[in-house]
Amino acid sequence: NEKPTLIGENCTIGHQALLHACTLEDRAFVGMQACIMDDAVLQSDSMVAAGSLVTPGKVVRSGELWGGRPAKRMRLLTDDEVAFILKSAEFYQELAAKHRHAMS
């Protein structure tokens, strides 16, 4: 019984991150080398710090920063950090478009 990995719009997934049978809602941010396990959910406008391990079934709620191994709630995100999540996704989308254009 395979479970899908679902990724919403405008998410940022850092280098070497591992996503396994989890759900990232719109504007979720996963730091570099973080691991998000089975049935975990990152709600919209949430952030997981680099190197963190979100264990199976955990829910990272909107506006929260989680970190550690295993990850736990560290604090609420600031308004600037929430705004950064969308800016990050837009930056990588623009970078991908430039790369696509350069390769064609």
Side-chain angles (χ1 to χ4, degrees), residues 8-95:
E9 294 186 15
N10 296 309
C11 292
T12 297
I13 301 167
H15 311 306
Q16 296 182 327
L18 173 64
L19 308 177
H20 191 270
C22 59
T23 299
L24 276 57
E25 295 180 356
D26 297 344
R27 299 175 312 281
F29 184 101
V30 178
M32 293 183 288
Q33 291 189 330
C35 180
I36 316 298
M37 296 301 297
D38 303 55
D39 297 317
V41 176
L42 275 62
Q43 293 182 346
S44 297
D45 299 314
S46 64
M47 185 179 286
V48 172
S52 299
L53 171 63
V54 178
T55 53
K58 297 294 184 193
V59 177
V60 180
R61 300 200 185 286
S62 295
E64 293 182 345
L65 169 65
W66 280 44
R69 295 185 77 81
K72 60 184 177 183
R73 182 181 181 270
M74 298 175 71
R75 62 176 173 81
L76 294 176
L77 295 170
T78 66
D79 291 341
D80 286 345
E81 290 168 331
V82 171
F84 169 78
I85 293 171
L86 181 57
K87 289 177 188 172
S88 174
E90 291 171 343
F91 169 78
Y92 281 112
Q93 291 168 18
E94 291 171 13
L95 186 61

